[in-house]
Amino acid sequence: MQHLMSPLDLSVEELDRLLTLANDIERNPQKYAHACAGKKLATCFYEPSTRTRLSFEAAMLNLGGSILGFSSADSSSAAKGESVSDTIRVISCYADICAMRHPKEGAPLVASEKSKIPVINAGDGGHQHPTQTLTDLLTIRSLKGRLDNLTIGLCGDLKFGRTVHSLIHALIRYPNIKFLLISPEELRVPSYIREDVLHKNNVPFQEVERLEDAMGALDILYMTRVQKERFFNEDDYVRMKDFYILNKKKMALAKDDMIVMHPLPRVNEISVEVDDDPRAAYFRQAQYGVYVRMALILTLLEVEVC
Ligand code: CP
């Protein structure tokens, strides 16, 4: 039985197969419409979510399966003090696969150790968000045609942004990837990413503060929200929250074929005037999230569709 805690749980070859399967699902949805008939997905979300939870549920429904779950800790027995270990032992009796989001880093991993069904990390604190990374890789491969030879600007809250941490881990496995890390001093990537991931693997990167200085070099601009819920101090959040606002003027500095991605939700960091720019890919990215989660459910449940 396979769980998914990190994008690195999949080899590059396994990832390639998963993305190819997602593209086939996109082209031939009817072929997969009954693939999970009789199977159940549990979504155990101890933290708010729109895209991840609903795209998992849409994915299972699109595969002909059923869904159950909870969308906040308050509406589960976590509010009475139940541990994730006990919860997953019980969920294992009710469902065939579980997607879990939790504010504590490592909570889905703890759950996976007691689980009788595959557990998918749907975001754990500021740590990892592997299915967002799968979504991002599918978006990049589908829209840019490759996962190598890319200059990627990661912009915003690089300290607490778990989507950025997972994406860096996943992309460094491809040749000729360069990163421009665009953030204010206070929100730079954690040192373990800078030292243990980027330096250790000789991945070229540059840290810059001004978005304007990076725009012209980028194949992909990956914007992120300042993670209000992870700040200890409201004043710090207020000072940081509008540090970057991507608008038409800044988009004029970018290449014609650059794409703008964002895991969403956005707050102010991308002006709505950018939404009509053909390079704005963030809503297409959310759609790719459904296809890739369908492919992941099929893969972890070992369902083959001929
Ligand atoms: N991208 C993402 O994880 O969105 P949600 O928090 O809405 O699930």
Side-chain angles (χ1 to χ4, degrees), residues 215-234:
M215 285 300 275
L218 303 178
D219 299 308
I220 295 163
L221 172 60
Y222 192 97
M223 295 295 295
T224 63
R225 169 180 70 91
V226 175
Q227 305 272 304
K228 180 179 184 185
E229 62 276 31
R230 315 226 185 271
F231 274 72
F232 295 114
N233 175 331
E234 173 83 13

Side-chain angles (χ1 to χ4, degrees), residues 45 47-55 101 122-123 129 131-132 162-163 222 225 229 262-265 293:
F45 276 57
E47 247 195 0
S49 167
T50 296
R51 270 145 299 276
T52 310
R53 187 170 66 83
L54 297 183
S55 65
R101 170 171 289 189
H129 192 347
T131 62
Q132 181 64 49
R162 60 191 172 198
T163 62
Y222 192 97
R225 169 180 70 91
E229 62 276 31
H262 190 309
L264 304 177
R293 288 182 175 99

